[in-house]
Coordinates of all heavy atoms in Angstrom, one line a residue:
M1 N 3.2 172.9 128.5 CA 4.6 172.3 128.5 C 5.5 173.2 129.3 O 5.5 174.4 129.1 CB 5.0 172.3 127.0 CG 6.5 171.8 126.8 SD 7.0 171.5 125.1 CE 7.4 173.2 124.7
Q2 N 6.4 172.6 130.1 CA 7.3 173.4 130.8 C 8.6 173.6 130.0 O 9.0 172.9 129.1 CB 7.7 172.5 132.1 CG 6.7 172.3 133.1 CD 7.3 171.7 134.3 OE1 8.5 171.7 134.5 NE2 6.4 171.1 135.1
D3 N 9.2 174.8 130.3 CA 10.4 175.0 129.6 C 11.6 174.4 130.5 O 11.4 173.9 131.6 CB 10.7 176.5 129.4 CG 10.9 177.3 130.7 OD1 11.1 176.7 131.8 OD2 10.9 178.5 130.6
K4 N 12.8 174.3 129.9 CA 13.9 173.7 130.5 C 14.2 174.2 131.9 O 14.5 173.4 132.8 CB 15.1 173.6 129.7 CG 15.1 172.6 128.6 CD 16.3 172.7 127.7 CE 17.6 172.5 128.4 NZ 18.8 172.4 127.5
N5 N 14.2 175.5 132.1 CA 14.5 176.1 133.4 C 13.5 175.7 134.5 O 13.9 175.3 135.5 CB 14.6 177.6 133.3 CG 15.8 178.1 132.5 OD1 16.8 177.4 132.4 ND2 15.7 179.2 131.9
N6 N 12.2 175.7 134.1 CA 11.2 175.3 135.1 C 11.4 173.8 135.4 O 11.1 173.4 136.5 CB 9.8 175.6 134.5 CG 9.5 177.0 134.5 OD1 10.1 177.8 135.2 ND2 8.5 177.4 133.7
L7 N 11.7 173.0 134.4 CA 11.9 171.5 134.6 C 13.1 171.3 135.6 O 12.9 170.5 136.5 CB 12.2 170.8 133.3 CG 11.0 170.3 132.6 CD1 11.5 169.7 131.3 CD2 10.3 169.2 133.4
V8 N 14.1 172.0 135.4 CA 15.3 171.8 136.3 C 15.0 172.3 137.7 O 15.3 171.6 138.7 CB 16.5 172.6 135.7 CG1 17.7 172.5 136.8 CG2 17.0 171.9 134.4
D9 N 14.3 173.4 137.8 CA 13.9 173.9 139.1 C 13.0 172.9 139.8 O 13.1 172.7 141.0 CB 13.2 175.2 139.0 CG 14.1 176.4 138.6 OD1 15.3 176.3 138.7 OD2 13.5 177.5 138.1
S10 N 12.1 172.3 139.1 CA 11.2 171.3 139.6 C 11.9 170.0 140.1 O 11.6 169.5 141.2 CB 10.1 170.9 138.5 OG 9.4 169.8 138.9
L11 N 13.0 169.7 139.4 CA 13.8 168.5 139.9 C 14.4 168.8 141.2 O 14.5 167.9 142.0 CB 14.8 168.1 138.8 CG 14.2 167.6 137.5 CD1 15.4 167.5 136.4 CD2 13.5 166.3 137.6
Y12 N 14.9 170.0 141.4 CA 15.5 170.4 142.6 C 14.5 170.5 143.7 O 14.7 170.0 144.9 CB 16.2 171.7 142.5 CG 17.6 171.6 141.8 CD1 17.7 172.1 140.6 CD2 18.7 170.9 142.3 CE1 19.0 172.0 139.9 CE2 19.9 170.8 141.7 CZ 20.0 171.4 140.4 OH 21.2 171.2 139.7
E13 N 13.4 171.1 143.5 CA 12.3 171.3 144.5 C 11.7 169.9 144.9 O 11.4 169.8 146.1 CB 11.2 172.1 143.8 CG 11.5 173.6 143.7 CD 10.5 174.3 142.8 OE1 9.5 173.8 142.5 OE2 10.8 175.5 142.5
R14 N 11.6 169.0 144.0 CA 11.1 167.7 144.3 C 12.2 166.7 144.9 O 11.9 165.6 145.1 CB 10.5 167.0 143.1 CG 9.3 167.8 142.6 CD 8.7 167.4 141.3 NE 8.3 166.0 141.4 CZ 8.1 165.2 140.3 NH1 8.3 165.7 139.1 NH2 7.6 164.0 140.5
K15 N 13.4 167.3 145.1 CA 14.5 166.5 145.7 C 14.9 165.4 144.9 O 15.5 164.4 145.4 CB 14.1 166.0 147.2 CG 13.6 167.2 148.1 CD 14.8 168.0 148.5 CE 14.2 169.0 149.5 NZ 14.9 170.2 149.5
L16 N 14.7 165.5 143.6 CA 15.3 164.4 142.7 C 16.7 164.7 142.4 O 17.5 163.8 141.9 CB 14.4 164.4 141.4 CG 13.0 164.0 141.6 CD1 12.2 164.1 140.2 CD2 12.9 162.5 142.0
L17 N 17.2 165.9 142.7 CA 18.5 166.4 142.5 C 18.9 167.1 143.8 O 18.1 167.8 144.4 CB 18.8 167.3 141.3 CG 18.6 166.8 139.9 CD1 18.7 167.9 138.9 CD2 19.6 165.7 139.7
N18 N 20.2 166.9 144.3 CA 20.7 167.6 145.4 C 21.2 168.9 144.9 O 21.5 169.1 143.7 CB 21.8 166.8 146.1 CG 21.3 165.5 146.7 OD1 20.2 165.4 147.2 ND2 22.1 164.5 146.6
D19 N 21.3 169.9 145.8 CA 21.8 171.2 145.4 C 23.1 171.2 144.7 O 23.4 172.1 143.9 CB 21.8 172.1 146.6 CG 20.5 172.5 147.2 OD1 19.5 172.4 146.5 OD2 20.4 172.8 148.4
D20 N 23.9 170.3 145.0 CA 25.3 170.2 144.4 C 25.4 169.4 143.1 O 26.5 169.2 142.6 CB 26.3 169.8 145.4 CG 26.0 168.3 145.9 OD1 24.9 167.8 145.7 OD2 27.0 167.7 146.5
E21 N 24.2 168.9 142.7 CA 24.2 168.1 141.4 C 23.8 168.9 140.2 O 23.0 169.8 140.3 CB 23.3 166.9 141.6 CG 23.7 165.9 142.7 CD 22.8 164.7 142.8 OE1 21.6 165.0 143.2 OE2 23.2 163.6 142.7
E22 N 24.3 168.4 139.0 CA 24.0 169.0 137.8 C 23.2 168.0 137.0 O 23.3 166.8 137.2 CB 25.2 169.3 136.9 CG 26.1 170.4 137.5 CD 27.3 170.6 136.5 OE1 27.0 171.0 135.4 OE2 28.4 170.2 136.9
I23 N 22.5 168.4 136.0 CA 21.9 167.6 135.0 C 21.8 168.2 133.7 O 21.7 169.4 133.6 CB 20.4 167.1 135.5 CG1 20.0 165.9 134.8 CG2 19.4 168.2 135.4 CD1 18.9 165.1 135.5
I24 N 21.9 167.5 132.6 CA 21.8 168.0 131.3 C 20.5 167.5 130.7 O 20.2 166.3 130.7 CB 22.9 167.5 130.4 CG1 24.3 168.1 130.9 CG2 22.7 167.8 128.9 CD1 25.5 167.6 130.2
L25 N 19.7 168.5 130.1 CA 18.4 168.1 129.5 C 18.6 168.3 128.0 O 19.3 169.2 127.6 CB 17.3 168.9 130.0 CG 17.0 168.9 131.5 CD1 15.8 169.8 131.8 CD2 16.7 167.5 131.9
S26 N 18.0 167.4 127.2 CA 18.0 167.6 125.7 C 17.0 168.5 125.3 O 15.8 168.4 125.6 CB 17.8 166.2 125.1 OG 18.9 165.4 125.3
D27 N 17.4 169.5 124.5 CA 16.5 170.6 124.0 C 15.4 169.9 123.1 O 15.6 169.0 122.3 CB 17.3 171.5 123.1 CG 18.2 172.4 123.8 OD1 17.9 172.7 125.0 OD2 19.2 172.9 123.2
G28 N 14.2 170.4 123.4 CA 13.0 170.1 122.6 C 12.3 168.8 123.1 O 11.3 168.4 122.5
F29 N 12.9 168.1 124.1 CA 12.2 166.9 124.5 C 11.6 167.0 125.9 O 11.4 166.0 126.6 CB 13.3 165.8 124.5 CG 13.8 165.5 123.1 CD1 15.1 165.6 122.9 CD2 12.9 165.1 122.1 CE1 15.6 165.2 121.6 CE2 13.4 164.8 120.8 CZ 14.7 164.9 120.6
E30 N 11.3 168.2 126.3 CA 10.7 168.4 127.6 C 9.5 167.5 128.0 O 9.4 167.0 129.0 CB 10.3 169.9 127.9 CG 11.5 170.8 127.9 CD 12.1 171.2 126.6 OE1 11.5 170.9 125.5 OE2 13.2 171.8 126.5
E31 N 8.6 167.3 127.0 CA 7.4 166.5 127.2 C 7.7 165.0 127.3 O 6.9 164.3 127.8 CB 6.4 166.7 126.0 CG 5.8 168.1 126.0 CD 4.9 168.3 124.8 OE1 4.4 167.3 124.3 OE2 4.7 169.4 124.4
A32 N 8.9 164.6 127.0 CA 9.4 163.2 127.0 C 10.1 162.9 128.2 O 10.4 161.7 128.4 CB 10.2 162.9 125.7
L33 N 10.5 163.9 129.0 CA 11.2 163.6 130.3 C 10.4 162.7 131.2 O 9.2 163.1 131.6 CB 11.7 164.9 131.0 CG 12.5 164.7 132.2 CD1 13.9 164.2 131.9 CD2 12.6 166.1 132.9
I34 N 10.9 161.6 131.7 CA 10.1 160.8 132.6 C 10.8 160.6 133.9 O 10.2 160.1 134.9 CB 9.9 159.4 132.0 CG1 11.2 158.7 131.6 CG2 9.0 159.4 130.8 CD1 11.1 157.2 131.1
G35 N 12.0 161.1 134.1 CA 12.6 161.1 135.4 C 14.2 161.2 135.3 O 14.7 161.7 134.3
V36 N 14.8 161.0 136.4 CA 16.3 161.0 136.5 C 16.7 159.6 137.1 O 16.0 159.0 137.8 CB 16.8 162.2 137.4 CG1 16.4 163.5 136.8 CG2 16.3 162.0 138.8
S37 N 17.9 159.3 136.8 CA 18.5 158.0 137.2 C 18.7 158.2 138.7 O 18.9 159.2 139.3 CB 19.8 157.7 136.5 OG 20.8 158.7 136.8
S38 N 18.8 157.0 139.3 CA 19.1 156.9 140.8 C 20.6 156.8 141.0 O 21.1 157.0 142.1 CB 18.4 155.7 141.4 OG 18.7 154.5 140.8
N39 N 21.4 156.4 140.0 CA 22.8 156.3 140.1 C 23.5 157.6 140.1 O 22.9 158.6 139.7 CB 23.3 155.3 139.1 CG 23.1 155.8 137.7 OD1 22.0 156.2 137.4 ND2 24.1 155.8 136.8
E40 N 24.7 157.6 140.4 CA 25.6 158.8 140.3 C 26.5 158.8 139.2 O 27.1 157.7 139.0 CB 26.3 159.0 141.7 CG 25.5 159.1 142.9 CD 24.7 160.4 143.0 OE1 25.1 161.4 142.4 OE2 23.6 160.3 143.7
P41 N 26.8 159.8 138.4 CA 26.0 161.0 138.5 C 24.6 160.8 137.9 O 24.4 159.9 137.0 CB 26.8 161.9 137.6 CG 27.5 161.0 136.6 CD 27.8 159.8 137.4
K42 N 23.7 161.6 138.4 CA 22.3 161.5 137.9 C 22.2 162.0 136.5 O 22.8 163.1 136.1 CB 21.3 162.2 138.8 CG 21.2 161.5 140.2 CD 20.3 162.2 141.1 CE 20.3 161.4 142.4 NZ 19.7 162.1 143.5
V43 N 21.4 161.3 135.7 CA 21.2 161.8 134.3 C 19.7 161.8 134.0 O 18.9 161.1 134.6 CB 21.9 160.9 133.3 CG1 23.4 160.9 133.4 CG2 21.4 159.5 133.3
A44 N 19.3 162.6 133.0 CA 17.9 162.7 132.7 C 17.5 161.5 131.9 O 18.3 160.9 131.2 CB 17.7 163.9 131.8
I45 N 16.3 161.0 132.1 CA 15.8 159.8 131.4 C 14.6 160.2 130.6 O 13.6 160.8 131.2 CB 15.4 158.7 132.3 CG1 16.7 158.3 133.1 CG2 14.9 157.6 131.6 CD1 16.5 157.3 134.2
Y46 N 14.5 159.9 129.3 CA 13.5 160.3 128.4 C 12.8 159.0 127.9 O 13.4 158.0 127.6 CB 14.0 161.1 127.2 CG 14.5 162.5 127.6 CD1 15.8 162.6 127.9 CD2 13.7 163.5 127.6 CE1 16.3 163.9 128.3 CE2 14.2 164.8 128.0 CZ 15.5 165.0 128.3 OH 15.9 166.2 128.6
D47 N 11.5 159.2 127.6 CA 10.8 158.1 126.9 C 11.1 158.3 125.4 O 10.8 159.3 124.9 CB 9.2 158.3 127.2 CG 8.4 157.2 126.5 OD1 8.6 157.0 125.3 OD2 7.5 156.7 127.2
F48 N 11.7 157.3 124.8 CA 12.1 157.4 123.4 C 10.9 157.7 122.5 O 11.0 158.5 121.6 CB 12.7 156.0 123.0 CG 13.2 156.0 121.6 CD1 14.5 156.3 121.2 CD2 12.3 155.5 120.5 CE1 14.9 156.3 119.9 CE2 12.8 155.4 119.2 CZ 14.0 155.8 118.9
W49 N 9.8 157.0 122.7 CA 8.6 157.2 121.9 C 8.0 158.5 122.0 O 7.5 159.1 121.0 CB 7.6 156.0 122.1 CG 8.2 154.7 122.1 CD1 8.4 153.8 123.0 CD2 8.8 154.1 120.9 NE1 9.1 152.7 122.6 CE2 9.3 152.8 121.2 CE3 8.9 154.5 119.5 CZ2 10.0 152.0 120.3 CZ3 9.6 153.7 118.7 CH2 10.1 152.4 119.0
K50 N 8.0 159.1 123.2 CA 7.4 160.5 123.4 C 8.4 161.5 122.7 O 8.0 162.4 122.2 CB 7.3 160.8 124.9 CG 6.1 160.0 125.5 CD 6.0 160.4 127.0 CE 4.9 159.6 127.6 NZ 4.7 160.0 129.0
A51 N 9.7 161.1 122.8 CA 10.7 162.0 122.1 C 10.4 162.0 120.6 O 10.5 163.1 119.9 CB 12.1 161.6 122.5
L52 N 10.2 160.8 120.1 CA 9.9 160.7 118.7 C 8.6 161.5 118.3 O 8.6 162.2 117.3 CB 9.6 159.2 118.3 CG 9.4 159.0 116.8 CD1 10.5 159.4 115.9 CD2 9.1 157.4 116.7
D53 N 7.6 161.5 119.1 CA 6.4 162.3 119.0 C 6.8 163.8 119.0 O 6.2 164.5 118.2 CB 5.4 162.0 120.1 CG 4.0 162.6 119.8 OD1 3.6 162.4 118.6 OD2 3.5 163.2 120.7
C54 N 7.7 164.2 119.8 CA 8.1 165.6 119.9 C 8.7 166.0 118.6 O 8.4 167.2 118.1 CB 9.1 165.8 121.0 SG 8.5 165.7 122.7
I55 N 9.6 165.2 118.0 CA 10.2 165.5 116.7 C 9.2 165.6 115.6 O 9.2 166.5 114.8 CB 11.2 164.4 116.4 CG1 12.4 164.3 117.4 CG2 11.7 164.5 114.9 CD1 13.3 163.1 117.3
I56 N 8.3 164.7 115.6 CA 7.3 164.7 114.6 C 6.3 165.9 114.6 O 6.0 166.6 113.7 CB 6.4 163.4 114.5 CG1 7.3 162.3 114.1 CG2 5.2 163.5 113.6 CD1 6.7 160.9 114.4
K57 N 6.0 166.3 115.9 CA 5.1 167.5 116.1 C 5.9 168.8 115.7 O 5.2 169.7 115.1 CB 4.7 167.6 117.6 CG 3.6 166.7 117.9 CD 3.3 166.8 119.4 CE 2.2 165.8 119.8 NZ 1.9 165.9 121.3
K58 N 7.2 168.9 115.9 CA 7.9 170.1 115.6 C 8.3 170.1 114.1 O 8.6 171.1 113.6 CB 9.2 170.1 116.4 CG 8.9 170.5 117.8 CD 10.2 170.7 118.6 CE 9.8 171.0 120.0 NZ 10.9 171.0 121.0
N59 N 8.3 169.0 113.4 CA 8.6 168.8 112.0 C 7.6 168.0 111.2 O 7.9 166.9 110.8 CB 10.0 168.2 111.9 CG 11.1 168.9 112.6 OD1 11.5 169.9 112.2 ND2 11.5 168.3 113.7
P60 N 6.4 168.5 111.1 CA 5.3 167.8 110.5 C 5.6 167.3 109.1 O 5.0 166.3 108.6 CB 4.1 168.7 110.5 CG 4.6 170.1 110.8 CD 6.0 169.9 111.4
Q61 N 6.6 168.0 108.3 CA 7.0 167.5 107.0 C 7.8 166.3 107.0 O 8.0 165.7 106.0 CB 7.6 168.7 106.3 CG 9.1 168.9 106.7 CD 9.3 169.6 108.0 OE1 8.4 170.0 108.7 NE2 10.6 169.7 108.4
L62 N 8.4 165.9 108.2 CA 9.2 164.8 108.3 C 8.5 163.5 108.3 O 7.5 163.3 109.1 CB 10.1 165.0 109.6 CG 11.3 164.2 109.8 CD1 12.3 164.5 108.7 CD2 12.0 164.5 111.1
E63 N 8.9 162.6 107.5 CA 8.3 161.3 107.5 C 8.6 160.5 108.8 O 9.6 160.7 109.4 CB 8.8 160.5 106.3 CG 8.4 161.0 104.9 CD 7.0 160.8 104.6 OE1 6.4 159.8 105.1 OE2 6.4 161.7 103.9
F64 N 7.7 159.6 109.2 CA 7.9 158.9 110.5 C 9.2 158.1 110.4 O 10.0 158.2 111.4 CB 6.7 157.9 110.7 CG 6.9 157.0 111.8 CD1 6.5 157.4 113.1 CD2 7.5 155.7 111.7 CE1 6.7 156.6 114.2 CE2 7.7 154.9 112.8 CZ 7.3 155.4 114.1
N65 N 9.5 157.4 109.4 CA 10.8 156.6 109.3 C 12.0 157.5 109.4 O 13.0 157.1 110.0 CB 10.8 155.8 108.1 CG 9.8 154.6 108.2 OD1 9.4 154.2 109.3 ND2 9.4 154.0 107.1
D66 N 11.9 158.7 108.8 CA 13.1 159.7 108.8 C 13.2 160.2 110.3 O 14.4 160.3 110.7 CB 12.9 160.8 107.9 CG 12.9 160.4 106.5 OD1 13.6 159.3 106.1 OD2 12.3 161.1 105.6
A67 N 12.1 160.5 111.0 CA 12.2 160.9 112.3 C 12.8 159.8 113.2 O 13.6 160.1 114.1 CB 10.8 161.4 112.8
L68 N 12.3 158.6 113.0 CA 12.8 157.4 113.8 C 14.3 157.2 113.6 O 15.1 157.0 114.6 CB 12.0 156.2 113.4 CG 12.4 154.9 114.1 CD1 12.1 155.1 115.6 CD2 11.5 153.7 113.5
E69 N 14.7 157.3 112.3 CA 16.1 157.1 112.0 C 17.0 158.2 112.7 O 18.1 158.0 113.3 CB 16.3 157.2 110.6 CG 17.7 156.9 110.1 CD 17.9 156.9 108.6 OE1 16.9 156.5 107.8 OE2 18.9 157.3 108.1
W70 N 16.5 159.5 112.6 CA 17.2 160.6 113.3 C 17.3 160.4 114.7 O 18.5 160.5 115.3 CB 16.5 161.9 113.0 CG 17.3 163.1 113.5 CD1 18.2 163.8 112.8 CD2 17.2 163.6 114.8 NE1 18.7 164.8 113.7 CE2 18.2 164.6 114.9 CE3 16.5 163.3 116.0 CZ2 18.3 165.4 116.0 CZ3 16.7 164.1 117.1 CH2 17.6 165.1 117.1
L71 N 16.3 160.0 115.4 CA 16.3 159.8 116.9 C 17.2 158.6 117.2 O 18.0 158.7 118.2 CB 14.9 159.7 117.5 CG 14.9 159.6 119.0 CD1 15.5 160.8 119.6 CD2 13.4 159.5 119.4
D72 N 17.1 157.5 116.4 CA 18.1 156.4 116.7 C 19.5 156.8 116.6 O 20.3 156.5 117.4 CB 17.8 155.3 115.7 CG 16.7 154.4 116.2 OD1 16.4 154.2 117.3 OD2 16.0 153.7 115.3
E73 N 19.8 157.6 115.5 CA 21.2 158.1 115.3 C 21.6 159.0 116.5 O 22.7 159.0 117.0 CB 21.4 158.7 114.0 CG 21.3 157.8 112.8 CD 21.4 158.5 111.5 OE1 21.5 159.7 111.4 OE2 21.2 157.8 110.5
F74 N 20.7 159.9 116.9 CA 21.0 160.9 117.9 C 21.3 160.1 119.2 O 22.3 160.5 119.9 CB 19.8 161.8 118.1 CG 19.9 162.8 119.2 CD1 20.6 163.9 119.2 CD2 19.2 162.5 120.4 CE1 20.8 164.8 120.2 CE2 19.2 163.4 121.5 CZ 20.0 164.5 121.4
T75 N 20.5 159.2 119.5 CA 20.7 158.4 120.8 C 22.0 157.6 120.7 O 22.7 157.5 121.7 CB 19.5 157.6 121.2 OG1 19.2 156.7 120.2 CG2 18.3 158.5 121.5
Q76 N 22.3 157.1 119.6 CA 23.5 156.2 119.4 C 24.7 157.0 119.5 O 25.7 156.7 120.2 CB 23.5 155.5 118.1 CG 24.6 154.5 117.9 CD 24.5 153.4 118.9 OE1 23.5 152.9 119.3 NE2 25.7 153.0 119.5
L77 N 24.7 158.2 119.0 CA 25.9 159.2 119.1 C 26.1 159.5 120.6 O 27.2 159.6 121.1 CB 25.6 160.4 118.3 CG 25.9 160.4 116.9 CD1 25.4 161.7 116.2 CD2 27.3 160.1 116.6
K78 N 25.0 159.7 121.3 CA 25.1 160.0 122.8 C 25.8 158.8 123.5 O 26.7 159.0 124.3 CB 23.8 160.3 123.4 CG 23.1 161.5 122.9 CD 23.8 162.7 123.4 CE 23.1 164.0 123.0 NZ 23.8 165.1 123.3
I79 N 25.4 157.6 123.1 CA 26.0 156.4 123.8 C 27.5 156.3 123.4 O 28.3 156.0 124.2 CB 25.2 155.1 123.3 CG1 23.8 155.1 123.9 CG2 26.0 153.9 123.7 CD1 22.9 154.1 123.3
E80 N 27.8 156.5 122.1 CA 29.2 156.4 121.7 C 30.1 157.4 122.3 O 31.2 157.1 122.6 CB 29.2 156.4 120.1 CG 28.7 155.2 119.4 CD 28.6 155.4 118.0 OE1 28.9 156.4 117.4 OE2 28.0 154.4 117.3
N81 N 29.6 158.6 122.5 CA 30.4 159.7 123.1 C 30.6 159.5 124.6 O 31.5 160.0 125.2 CB 29.7 161.0 122.8 CG 29.9 161.5 121.3 OD1 30.8 160.9 120.7 ND2 29.0 162.3 120.9
N82 N 29.6 158.8 125.2 CA 29.6 158.4 126.6 C 30.1 159.6 127.5 O 30.9 159.5 128.3 CB 30.7 157.2 126.8 CG 30.5 156.6 128.2 OD1 29.4 156.7 128.8 ND2 31.5 155.9 128.6
E83 N 29.4 160.7 127.2 CA 29.6 161.8 128.0 C 29.0 161.6 129.4 O 28.0 160.9 129.6 CB 28.9 163.0 127.4 CG 29.6 163.4 126.1 CD 28.7 164.3 125.2 OE1 27.7 164.9 125.8 OE2 29.0 164.5 124.1
N84 N 29.6 162.1 130.5 CA 29.3 161.8 131.9 C 27.8 162.1 132.2 O 27.2 161.3 132.9 CB 30.2 162.7 132.7 CG 30.4 162.0 134.1 OD1 30.2 160.8 134.3 ND2 30.9 162.8 135.0
L85 N 27.2 163.1 131.7 CA 25.9 163.5 132.1 C 24.9 163.4 131.0 O 23.8 163.9 130.9 CB 25.8 165.0 132.6 CG 26.7 165.2 133.9 CD1 26.6 166.7 134.2 CD2 26.2 164.4 135.1
T86 N 25.2 162.6 129.9 CA 24.4 162.4 128.8 C 23.0 161.8 129.1 O 23.0 160.8 129.8 CB 25.1 161.6 127.7 OG1 26.3 162.2 127.3 CG2 24.2 161.3 126.5
P87 N 21.9 162.4 128.7 CA 20.6 161.8 128.9 C 20.5 160.5 128.3 O 21.1 160.1 127.3 CB 19.6 162.8 128.3 CG 20.4 164.1 128.2 CD 21.9 163.7 128.0
V88 N 19.5 159.7 128.9 CA 19.3 158.3 128.4 C 17.8 158.3 127.8 O 16.9 158.9 128.4 CB 19.3 157.3 129.6 CG1 18.9 155.9 129.1 CG2 20.8 157.2 130.2
F89 N 17.7 157.7 126.7 CA 16.4 157.5 126.0 C 16.0 156.0 126.2 O 16.7 155.2 125.6 CB 16.5 157.9 124.5 CG 16.6 159.5 124.4 CD1 17.8 160.1 124.6 CD2 15.5 160.2 124.1 CE1 18.0 161.4 124.5 CE2 15.6 161.6 123.9 CZ 16.8 162.2 124.1
V90 N 14.9 155.8 126.8 CA 14.4 154.4 127.0 C 13.2 154.1 126.1 O 12.3 154.9 126.0 CB 14.0 154.3 128.5 CG1 13.4 152.9 128.8 CG2 15.1 154.6 129.5
K91 N 13.3 152.9 125.4 CA 12.2 152.5 124.6 C 11.3 151.7 125.5 O 11.6 150.5 125.9 CB 12.7 151.6 123.5 CG 13.5 152.4 122.4 CD 13.9 151.5 121.3 CE 14.6 152.4 120.2 NZ 15.1 151.6 119.1
T92 N 10.3 152.3 126.0 CA 9.3 151.8 126.9 C 8.4 150.7 126.3 O 8.3 150.8 125.0 CB 8.4 152.9 127.6 OG1 7.7 153.5 126.5 CG2 9.2 153.8 128.4
L93 N 7.9 149.8 127.0 CA 7.1 148.8 126.5 C 5.7 149.2 126.4 O 5.2 150.0 127.0 CB 7.1 147.5 127.4 CG 8.5 146.9 127.6 CD1 8.5 145.8 128.6 CD2 9.1 146.4 126.3

């Protein structure tokens, strides 16, 4: 698993971000990162289900439904706050 600094460095090295662009990554979801948006400003994109798996692995005492509810609330708060560089969590098929 990569840490956040290595992930950000990798995004610049792979030219997914320009030198003058910023991106915000969500702590603890490094394994769920699937890419960055193509629109401006670029935002991190996470696989919702992989993020859920990250939560469960870090908190084995947490019931599945509780973890699911927490992640749903977390992502909804991000949407409601509509911060400029807020990461997006995608429920993949």
Side-chain angles (χ1 to χ4, degrees):
M1 177 176 80
Q2 293 188 18
D3 69 13
K4 279 178 62 172
N5 291 333
N6 289 340
L7 269 175
V8 171
D9 290 344
S10 174
L11 294 173
Y12 286 111
E13 289 168 9
R14 296 172 62 198
K15 306 290 185 208
L16 295 173
L17 293 173
N18 296 323
D19 290 338
D20 61 342
E21 292 179 305
E22 296 180 65
I23 197 160
I24 295 175
L25 301 180
S26 289
D27 289 332
F29 297 120
E30 291 79 10
E31 291 179 25
L33 183 67
I34 57 175
V36 297
S37 64
S38 60
N39 60 312
E40 301 291 333
K42 292 182 181 166
V43 296
I45 300 175
Y46 292 91
D47 180 314
F48 180 90
W49 306 115
K50 288 182 182 178
L52 181 61
D53 190 51
C54 291
I55 293 169
I56 292 169
K57 284 180 181 175
K58 288 184 181 171
N59 303 286
Q61 76 287 355
L62 198 58
E63 294 289 327
F64 176 85
N65 287 338
D66 293 334
L68 180 61
E69 183 178 326
W70 184 90
L71 187 56
D72 274 334
E73 289 175 7
F74 176 77
T75 58
Q76 188 61 40
L77 282 173
K78 295 290 186 186
I79 292 168
E80 289 171 3
N81 290 337
N82 196 20
E83 298 165 8
N84 208 18
L85 299 175
T86 298
V88 173
F89 289 77
V90 177
K91 291 183 178 178
T92 58
L93 301 177

